[in-house]
Short mmCIF file of all heavy atoms in Angstrom, two decimals:
data_model
loop_
_atom_site.label_atom_id
_atom_site.label_comp_id
_atom_site.label_asym_id
_atom_site.label_seq_id
_atom_site.Cartn_x
_atom_site.Cartn_y
_atom_site.Cartn_z
N SER A 1344 -50.76 -273.59 28.81
CA SER A 1344 -51.42 -272.88 27.71
C SER A 1344 -52.09 -271.61 28.20
O SER A 1344 -52.02 -270.56 27.58
CB SER A 1344 -52.45 -273.77 27.02
OG SER A 1344 -51.81 -274.84 26.38
N MET A 1345 -52.76 -271.71 29.35
CA MET A 1345 -53.44 -270.54 29.91
C MET A 1345 -52.42 -269.46 30.27
O MET A 1345 -52.64 -268.28 30.00
CB MET A 1345 -54.25 -270.94 31.14
CG MET A 1345 -55.12 -269.85 31.68
SD MET A 1345 -56.44 -269.47 30.50
CE MET A 1345 -56.77 -267.78 30.95
N ALA A 1346 -51.30 -269.86 30.86
CA ALA A 1346 -50.28 -268.89 31.24
C ALA A 1346 -49.65 -268.24 30.01
O ALA A 1346 -49.23 -267.08 30.06
CB ALA A 1346 -49.21 -269.57 32.08
N ALA A 1347 -49.59 -268.96 28.89
CA ALA A 1347 -48.95 -268.45 27.68
C ALA A 1347 -49.86 -267.54 26.85
O ALA A 1347 -49.37 -266.84 25.97
CB ALA A 1347 -48.48 -269.62 26.82
N LEU A 1348 -51.16 -267.55 27.12
CA LEU A 1348 -52.06 -266.73 26.32
C LEU A 1348 -51.78 -265.25 26.53
O LEU A 1348 -51.55 -264.80 27.65
CB LEU A 1348 -53.52 -267.02 26.69
CG LEU A 1348 -54.07 -268.37 26.28
CD1 LEU A 1348 -55.51 -268.50 26.75
CD2 LEU A 1348 -53.98 -268.58 24.78
N GLY A 1349 -51.82 -264.52 25.45
CA GLY A 1349 -51.65 -263.07 25.54
C GLY A 1349 -52.88 -262.42 26.13
O GLY A 1349 -53.95 -263.02 26.23
N ASP A 1350 -52.71 -261.17 26.54
CA ASP A 1350 -53.85 -260.41 27.08
C ASP A 1350 -54.82 -260.07 25.96
O ASP A 1350 -54.42 -259.64 24.88
CB ASP A 1350 -53.36 -259.11 27.74
CG ASP A 1350 -52.58 -259.38 29.01
OD1 ASP A 1350 -52.82 -260.42 29.63
OD2 ASP A 1350 -51.74 -258.53 29.36
N HIS A 1351 -56.08 -260.28 26.24
CA HIS A 1351 -57.14 -259.95 25.28
C HIS A 1351 -58.43 -259.84 26.07
O HIS A 1351 -58.84 -260.78 26.74
CB HIS A 1351 -57.26 -261.06 24.22
CG HIS A 1351 -58.31 -260.78 23.19
ND1 HIS A 1351 -58.11 -259.90 22.16
CD2 HIS A 1351 -59.56 -261.25 23.04
CE1 HIS A 1351 -59.20 -259.86 21.41
NE2 HIS A 1351 -60.09 -260.67 21.93
N THR A 1352 -59.06 -258.70 25.99
CA THR A 1352 -60.30 -258.51 26.75
C THR A 1352 -61.53 -258.69 25.89
O THR A 1352 -62.64 -258.72 26.40
CB THR A 1352 -60.34 -257.11 27.40
OG1 THR A 1352 -60.20 -256.13 26.37
CG2 THR A 1352 -59.24 -256.96 28.42
N GLY A 1353 -61.37 -258.82 24.59
CA GLY A 1353 -62.51 -258.98 23.69
C GLY A 1353 -62.98 -260.42 23.63
O GLY A 1353 -62.55 -261.28 24.39
N PRO A 1354 -63.87 -260.71 22.69
CA PRO A 1354 -64.41 -262.06 22.53
C PRO A 1354 -63.31 -263.08 22.21
O PRO A 1354 -62.37 -262.77 21.48
CB PRO A 1354 -65.38 -261.93 21.37
CG PRO A 1354 -65.63 -260.49 21.20
CD PRO A 1354 -64.45 -259.77 21.73
N THR A 1355 -63.46 -264.28 22.76
CA THR A 1355 -62.49 -265.34 22.55
C THR A 1355 -63.20 -266.65 22.22
O THR A 1355 -64.15 -267.03 22.89
CB THR A 1355 -61.62 -265.55 23.81
OG1 THR A 1355 -60.88 -264.35 24.05
CG2 THR A 1355 -60.66 -266.71 23.64
N ILE A 1356 -62.72 -267.30 21.18
CA ILE A 1356 -63.21 -268.63 20.80
C ILE A 1356 -62.14 -269.63 21.21
O ILE A 1356 -60.97 -269.49 20.84
CB ILE A 1356 -63.45 -268.72 19.28
CG1 ILE A 1356 -64.54 -267.77 18.85
CG2 ILE A 1356 -63.78 -270.17 18.89
CD1 ILE A 1356 -64.71 -267.65 17.34
N LEU A 1357 -62.51 -270.62 21.99
CA LEU A 1357 -61.61 -271.70 22.37
C LEU A 1357 -61.92 -272.88 21.46
O LEU A 1357 -62.98 -273.50 21.57
CB LEU A 1357 -61.80 -272.08 23.84
CG LEU A 1357 -60.92 -273.21 24.36
CD1 LEU A 1357 -59.44 -272.87 24.20
CD2 LEU A 1357 -61.26 -273.52 25.80
N ASP A 1358 -61.02 -273.17 20.53
CA ASP A 1358 -61.22 -274.21 19.53
C ASP A 1358 -60.60 -275.52 20.00
O ASP A 1358 -59.38 -275.66 20.06
CB ASP A 1358 -60.61 -273.77 18.19
CG ASP A 1358 -60.81 -274.78 17.09
OD1 ASP A 1358 -61.59 -275.74 17.27
OD2 ASP A 1358 -60.19 -274.61 16.02
N LEU A 1359 -61.46 -276.48 20.34
CA LEU A 1359 -61.02 -277.79 20.81
C LEU A 1359 -61.19 -278.87 19.74
O LEU A 1359 -61.15 -280.06 20.05
CB LEU A 1359 -61.82 -278.19 22.06
CG LEU A 1359 -61.79 -277.21 23.22
CD1 LEU A 1359 -62.67 -277.73 24.36
CD2 LEU A 1359 -60.38 -276.95 23.68
N THR A 1360 -61.38 -278.45 18.50
CA THR A 1360 -61.67 -279.39 17.40
C THR A 1360 -60.63 -280.49 17.29
O THR A 1360 -60.98 -281.65 17.07
CB THR A 1360 -61.76 -278.62 16.07
OG1 THR A 1360 -62.78 -277.62 16.19
CG2 THR A 1360 -62.09 -279.55 14.92
N ASP A 1361 -59.36 -280.15 17.43
CA ASP A 1361 -58.29 -281.13 17.25
C ASP A 1361 -57.57 -281.47 18.54
O ASP A 1361 -56.39 -281.81 18.54
CB ASP A 1361 -57.28 -280.60 16.22
CG ASP A 1361 -57.91 -280.42 14.85
OD1 ASP A 1361 -58.66 -281.33 14.43
OD2 ASP A 1361 -57.69 -279.38 14.22
N LEU A 1362 -58.29 -281.39 19.67
CA LEU A 1362 -57.68 -281.65 20.97
C LEU A 1362 -58.23 -282.93 21.57
O LEU A 1362 -59.43 -283.18 21.53
CB LEU A 1362 -57.96 -280.49 21.93
CG LEU A 1362 -57.41 -280.63 23.34
CD1 LEU A 1362 -55.88 -280.51 23.31
CD2 LEU A 1362 -57.99 -279.57 24.25
N THR A 1363 -57.35 -283.72 22.15
CA THR A 1363 -57.73 -284.88 22.94
C THR A 1363 -57.40 -284.56 24.39
O THR A 1363 -56.24 -284.25 24.70
CB THR A 1363 -56.96 -286.13 22.50
OG1 THR A 1363 -57.24 -286.37 21.12
CG2 THR A 1363 -57.36 -287.34 23.32
N LEU A 1364 -58.41 -284.59 25.25
CA LEU A 1364 -58.20 -284.26 26.67
C LEU A 1364 -57.93 -285.51 27.48
O LEU A 1364 -58.60 -286.52 27.31
CB LEU A 1364 -59.45 -283.57 27.23
CG LEU A 1364 -59.74 -282.19 26.67
CD1 LEU A 1364 -61.13 -281.74 27.11
CD2 LEU A 1364 -58.70 -281.20 27.12
N VAL A 1365 -56.96 -285.41 28.37
CA VAL A 1365 -56.67 -286.53 29.26
C VAL A 1365 -56.61 -286.06 30.71
O VAL A 1365 -56.08 -286.74 31.57
CB VAL A 1365 -55.35 -287.25 28.87
CG1 VAL A 1365 -55.50 -287.93 27.54
CG2 VAL A 1365 -54.18 -286.28 28.86
N GLY A 1366 -57.17 -284.87 31.00
CA GLY A 1366 -57.17 -284.34 32.36
C GLY A 1366 -58.50 -283.69 32.68
O GLY A 1366 -59.38 -283.60 31.84
N GLY A 1367 -58.63 -283.23 33.92
CA GLY A 1367 -59.89 -282.66 34.37
C GLY A 1367 -59.89 -281.16 34.54
O GLY A 1367 -60.80 -280.62 35.16
N GLU A 1368 -58.88 -280.45 34.03
CA GLU A 1368 -58.74 -279.02 34.25
C GLU A 1368 -59.48 -278.15 33.23
O GLU A 1368 -59.36 -276.93 33.29
CB GLU A 1368 -57.26 -278.63 34.23
CG GLU A 1368 -56.48 -279.14 35.41
CD GLU A 1368 -56.77 -278.35 36.67
OE1 GLU A 1368 -56.86 -277.11 36.61
OE2 GLU A 1368 -56.92 -278.99 37.72
N LEU A 1369 -60.23 -278.72 32.33
CA LEU A 1369 -60.86 -277.94 31.27
C LEU A 1369 -61.80 -276.87 31.82
O LEU A 1369 -61.80 -275.73 31.37
CB LEU A 1369 -61.60 -278.84 30.29
CG LEU A 1369 -62.25 -278.11 29.10
CD1 LEU A 1369 -61.18 -277.43 28.26
CD2 LEU A 1369 -63.06 -279.07 28.27
N ASP A 1370 -62.60 -277.22 32.81
CA ASP A 1370 -63.54 -276.26 33.37
C ASP A 1370 -62.80 -275.06 33.98
O ASP A 1370 -63.20 -273.92 33.81
CB ASP A 1370 -64.44 -276.92 34.42
CG ASP A 1370 -65.52 -275.97 34.91
OD1 ASP A 1370 -66.14 -275.29 34.08
OD2 ASP A 1370 -65.73 -275.91 36.13
N ARG A 1371 -61.71 -275.32 34.68
CA ARG A 1371 -60.91 -274.23 35.26
C ARG A 1371 -60.30 -273.36 34.16
O ARG A 1371 -60.27 -272.14 34.25
CB ARG A 1371 -59.82 -274.80 36.15
CG ARG A 1371 -58.98 -273.69 36.79
CD ARG A 1371 -58.00 -274.22 37.79
NE ARG A 1371 -58.77 -274.69 38.94
CZ ARG A 1371 -58.36 -275.64 39.75
NH1 ARG A 1371 -57.22 -276.24 39.56
NH2 ARG A 1371 -59.10 -276.01 40.77
N PHE A 1372 -59.81 -273.99 33.11
CA PHE A 1372 -59.22 -273.27 31.96
C PHE A 1372 -60.27 -272.35 31.35
O PHE A 1372 -60.02 -271.16 31.13
CB PHE A 1372 -58.72 -274.29 30.93
CG PHE A 1372 -57.99 -273.69 29.77
CD1 PHE A 1372 -56.63 -273.47 29.83
CD2 PHE A 1372 -58.66 -273.36 28.61
CE1 PHE A 1372 -55.95 -272.94 28.75
CE2 PHE A 1372 -58.00 -272.83 27.53
CZ PHE A 1372 -56.63 -272.62 27.60
N ILE A 1373 -61.46 -272.87 31.08
CA ILE A 1373 -62.53 -272.07 30.50
C ILE A 1373 -62.97 -270.98 31.47
O ILE A 1373 -63.21 -269.84 31.07
CB ILE A 1373 -63.71 -272.97 30.07
CG1 ILE A 1373 -63.29 -273.84 28.87
CG2 ILE A 1373 -64.94 -272.13 29.71
CD1 ILE A 1373 -64.28 -274.89 28.48
N GLY A 1374 -63.04 -271.30 32.75
CA GLY A 1374 -63.41 -270.30 33.75
C GLY A 1374 -62.45 -269.13 33.77
O GLY A 1374 -62.86 -267.96 33.89
N ARG A 1375 -61.15 -269.41 33.66
CA ARG A 1375 -60.16 -268.31 33.63
C ARG A 1375 -60.33 -267.47 32.37
O ARG A 1375 -60.17 -266.25 32.42
CB ARG A 1375 -58.75 -268.88 33.73
CG ARG A 1375 -58.49 -269.41 35.15
CD ARG A 1375 -57.09 -269.81 35.38
NE ARG A 1375 -56.20 -268.64 35.27
CZ ARG A 1375 -54.89 -268.75 35.11
NH1 ARG A 1375 -54.33 -269.94 35.05
NH2 ARG A 1375 -54.14 -267.68 35.01
N LEU A 1376 -60.66 -268.09 31.24
CA LEU A 1376 -60.93 -267.32 30.02
C LEU A 1376 -62.16 -266.44 30.22
O LEU A 1376 -62.16 -265.26 29.85
CB LEU A 1376 -61.15 -268.24 28.82
CG LEU A 1376 -59.92 -268.81 28.15
CD1 LEU A 1376 -60.33 -269.75 27.02
CD2 LEU A 1376 -59.02 -267.71 27.61
N ILE A 1377 -63.21 -267.01 30.81
CA ILE A 1377 -64.44 -266.25 31.02
C ILE A 1377 -64.18 -265.06 31.93
O ILE A 1377 -64.68 -263.95 31.69
CB ILE A 1377 -65.54 -267.17 31.61
CG1 ILE A 1377 -66.03 -268.14 30.54
CG2 ILE A 1377 -66.72 -266.34 32.16
CD1 ILE A 1377 -66.93 -269.24 31.07
N ASP A 1378 -63.35 -265.24 32.95
CA ASP A 1378 -63.04 -264.16 33.88
C ASP A 1378 -62.21 -263.05 33.25
O ASP A 1378 -62.27 -261.90 33.68
CB ASP A 1378 -62.30 -264.70 35.11
CG ASP A 1378 -63.19 -265.57 35.98
OD1 ASP A 1378 -64.43 -265.50 35.84
OD2 ASP A 1378 -62.63 -266.35 36.78
#
């Protein structure tokens, strides 16, 4: 998902409302968005 995201330098909302997580990579995913 992170690799598929388009380039965007403005504000980003990560909507996890309908997501079920089964892994531990969420912090890294959010960190890459923040960067």
Side-chain angles (χ1 to χ4, degrees):
S1344 294
M1345 188 67 206
L1348 290 179
D1350 291 334
H1351 181 77
T1352 57
T1355 297
I1356 296 171
L1357 180 59
D1358 182 10
L1359 304 178
T1360 302
D1361 297 316
L1362 179 70
T1363 301
L1364 292 170
V1365 293
E1368 290 285 318
L1369 183 63
D1370 186 44
R1371 181 174 290 153
F1372 185 88
I1373 291 172
R1375 289 188 64 197
L1376 280 177
I1377 289 170
D1378 292 342

